[in-house]
Each structure stands twice: as C-alpha cells, then as structure tokens.
Amino acid sequence: MRRNFIIGIVAFVGAIFLLLIQPFSFENIDAGNVGIKINLYGSEKGVDNITLVTGRVWYNSWTTKIIEFPTFTQSVDYDSFVITTQDAAEFKVDPKLNYHINPDKVPQIYRQYRRPLAEIQQGFMKNTIYDAYRIAANSFTSDSVMSNREVFENRVQNILTQTLGKDGFIYDQLTSAITPPPSLRQMIDEKNTSIQARLKAENMAKQAEAEAKVLVAKAQGQAQATLIKARAEAEANQLRQKTITPLLIQQEWVAKWNGVLPTTNAGGASLMLGIK
C-alpha cells in the first residue's frame, strides 16, 4: 500500500511536470493584425502559405512559431537628414511616414526580410525613404525646391509608392518638413520683404490715384455746375434785354409817376411819352 502511494505521488508530480513543459500553446491574434505560422523543423521549414486571421490560434511551440504583424496604419517619425540639390545646396528633411501593410503580403514580407516590423521600419523602409529624397533632390535646384515644393514632394511620394508598394507596404501619407540652408532662407526672407514693400507701394499708388480721381471728378462737377449757372444767367439777361422795349419803359414810368412834372434848367417840363 505504501508502494502504491509512492507511485501515485510520482505519477502526480510527473503529470504536473509534463503539463508544465508540454509544447502546446495558443496565440490571440487581435483585430487589425494578422499572424503567420513558421515551421521550425522538417522539409517544409519556413513560412506556411496560410495567413492566420484574428482569433485564438493553437500551435506546437517546439516546432512552430507565430509572428504577429499589424495591418492598421503605422506612423513612423524618422530622424532628420540632409539632401543635396543640383547646385550643391543642402536641405534638412525631417520625414514622418504613415503606411499600412497589405495583409495578403505578410508572408512574403517575412520571407524576404526575416525581421519583425519594427526592425524593417528602421532598416529597409528608412533607407528607401532617404533614397527617395536624394533621388528627387538630384533633379531640382535650390530655388526650384522652394518654388515647386508640391512638385518635389509628389515626386518623392511617387518613388515611395512604387518602391514600398511592390513589397506590400501601402503608402498613406508623408510629411517632409523641409528646411532650406540659412543663406537661402535669408534670400527668401529678403525677397518676401521686397515683394511686400512693392505691393504696399502699389496699393498706396492705387489709393492716391483713386483719391485724385475723386478730387478731379468733384472739381469737374463744380466747374460744370458753375458753367451751367453762368450760361443760365447769361441766357436770362439776353432774354431780359430782348423784352425791354421803349413802350415798356414808358409804361413803367407812367405806372410809377406821382403826378408831379419834373423840372428842367429851362424852367419847363417835358413829358415824352412817344406814343404813336
């Protein structure tokens, strides 16, 4: 009986030991991620042609490994670096990339790079971004980079779309934060100041011209009003002169006579009515 008890204890301890070292495990693949199953042994050693969907995945940890890749948008802020234009001007670039992974290309990505995503971002993807900026900068001068900023960044984005896309990395957005050299920045500031001064002078000249036109218009209006008034008065005087006749004068004199005949030096009086 004692022997059976000892055997039971040993079996129990052995069962616990086997339970602790058993190879079977599971992995929870969260939403927005895909997992790939890697065979560690055998003739099919490598990545299976099966992309594991979200959920709980059981596997043998002695012979299989599960690696999880996020498929939602990733944002990577890279260290700044310097690019050189055609005329040897050095621009500082501080890129920030937003991208996501094509879920169907996850096995291919791991076969090709054999690295976790974080290492791929700081290796292959970082070098690809730097090369895209350098290639684009070789076809621009310092002035054209600043005056055609959108064209320059579109060229960089086209290079990244083609280079990253063929490996399963889908380009979403790129922020460049390009900083020109101090000498070029000073020239740009001086040019902007000159343009602002010219625009201000042009606006002042236009304002003065407008004000002068207003004054001229007022003067012309006043002169025209004065001329019209003078012409009216002249025409009125001419009309009055035409209407004053000798008969009208005598009638006015009679209307205003008080009955006393005026005296002359000859002592007589005369009344010239001139009535016919």
Side-chain angles (χ1 to χ4, degrees):
M1 187 172 180
R2 181 179 178 183
R3 183 169 175 268
N4 291 336
F5 178 75
I6 293 174
I7 293 175
I9 294 295
V10 171
F12 178 74
V13 173
I16 293 177
F17 179 74
L18 291 175
L19 183 63
L20 291 176
I21 66 172
Q22 63 85 24
F24 296 100
S25 181
F26 66 88
E27 185 78 23
N28 287 320
I29 308 299
D30 298 329
N33 297 267
V34 295
I36 54 175
K37 184 170 66 174
I38 303 171
N39 293 326
L40 303 177
Y41 301 99
S43 59
E44 295 182 356
K45 180 179 178 180
V47 182
D48 286 346
N49 291 324
I50 300 176
T51 299
L52 304 178
V53 295
T54 59
R56 179 170 294 184
V57 181
W58 290 90
Y59 64 99
N60 187 334
S61 61
W62 290 356
T63 61
T64 308
K65 180 170 66 172
I66 300 294
I67 294 182
E68 191 172 356
F69 276 79
T71 56
F72 56 88
T73 299
Q74 303 292 306
S75 181
V76 188
D77 193 354
Y78 290 99
D79 295 333
S80 60
F81 62 99
V82 175
I83 58 175
T84 305
T85 58
Q86 284 182 348
D87 51 352
E90 294 183 344
F91 284 77
K92 180 181 177 182
V93 181
D94 189 8
K96 184 176 181 180
L97 175 68
N98 292 338
Y99 76 97
H100 67 277
I101 293 178
N102 182 353
D104 297 333
K105 293 290 187 70
V106 170
Q108 174 185 328
I109 291 173
Y110 189 81
R111 286 192 193 99
Q112 183 171 353
Y113 299 103
R114 299 283 179 169
R115 294 286 186 275
L117 184 58
E119 295 184 17
I120 297 175
Q121 290 177 167
Q122 295 301 325
F124 160 73
M125 296 181 67
K126 178 180 178 179
N127 294 334
T128 300
I129 291 173
Y130 286 13
D131 288 342
Y133 276 102
R134 293 189 176 103
I135 292 172
N138 287 334
S139 58
F140 284 82
T141 63
S142 56
D143 289 338
S144 61
V145 168
M146 300 308 297
S147 58
N148 300 282
R149 177 79 171 270
E150 184 177 356
V151 176
F152 174 79
E153 293 190 350
N154 285 340
R155 187 164 301 179
V156 173
Q157 293 171 8
N158 290 335
I159 296 174
L160 290 179
T161 299
Q162 296 174 3
T163 307
L164 297 177
K166 64 183 179 61
D167 289 333
F169 302 98
I170 309 302
Y171 165 87
D172 291 331
Q173 185 181 16
L174 178 68
T175 304
S176 298
I178 300 177
T179 304
S183 57
L184 182 59
R185 169 55 63 187
Q186 182 179 357
M187 292 175 58
I188 294 173
D189 292 340
E190 292 175 353
K191 181 180 179 180
N192 291 335
T193 301
S194 176
I195 292 175
Q196 291 176 359
R198 177 173 58 82
L199 292 176
K200 183 178 180 181
E202 290 178 355
N203 291 334
M204 293 178 64
K206 290 180 180 179
Q207 182 179 357
E209 182 180 358
E211 292 176 353
K213 287 182 178 180
V214 172
L215 294 176
V216 169
K218 288 183 178 180
Q220 289 178 344
Q222 292 176 354
Q224 188 174 5
T226 302
L227 181 60
I228 293 173
K229 183 178 180 181
R231 287 177 177 174
E233 292 180 352
E235 292 177 356
N237 290 334
Q238 291 178 359
L239 184 59
R240 292 191 191 98
Q241 290 177 359
K242 290 180 180 179
T243 55
I244 296 176
T245 62
L247 178 58
L248 181 61
I249 294 174
Q250 291 181 2
Q251 288 178 348
E252 288 291 328
W253 186 83
V254 170
K256 295 180 179 180
W257 183 43
N258 56 5
V260 179
L261 292 174
T263 59
T264 61
N265 292 332
S270 64
L271 179 60
M272 298 179 63
L273 296 178
I275 301 177
K276 296 181 180 180

